[in-house]
Amino acid sequence: MEARMKVIVDQDLCMGCGVCESIAPEIFELGDELHAKVILDPISEKYRLVVEEAIAECPELAIKIIED
Ligand code: SF4
């Protein structure tokens, strides 16, 4: 069976800059919150590259992929 991709945002590290949401609004949402939330679970493989871009651009290294 194909591995399922989950993405998490470490709420202790995230400082709410919004970079992840601007890169991948399908996946990350800030809204009025102080920390980004992941709004898709599981996440389709088609989003892997954009998730990796968000991981690379997050200034706090708060985003991680978990292969389920
Ligand atoms: Fe938080 Fe990183 Fe997203 Fe900024 S880019 S809101 S620090 S998870």
Side-chain angles (χ1 to χ4, degrees), residues 7-25 27-40 54 58-60 62-64:
V7 172
I8 56 166
V9 171
D10 186 321
Q11 300 291 296
D12 293 329
L13 295 178
C14 173
M15 51 107 160
C17 69
V19 165
C20 56
E21 184 181 42
S22 63
I23 292 171
I27 298 167
F28 302 99
E29 186 177 273
L30 225 58
D32 297 332
E33 309 289 327
L34 293 175
H35 307 295
K37 280 188 312 201
V38 175
I39 53 175
L40 263 188
C58 172
E60 300 300 317
I63 307 169
K64 291 185 176 55

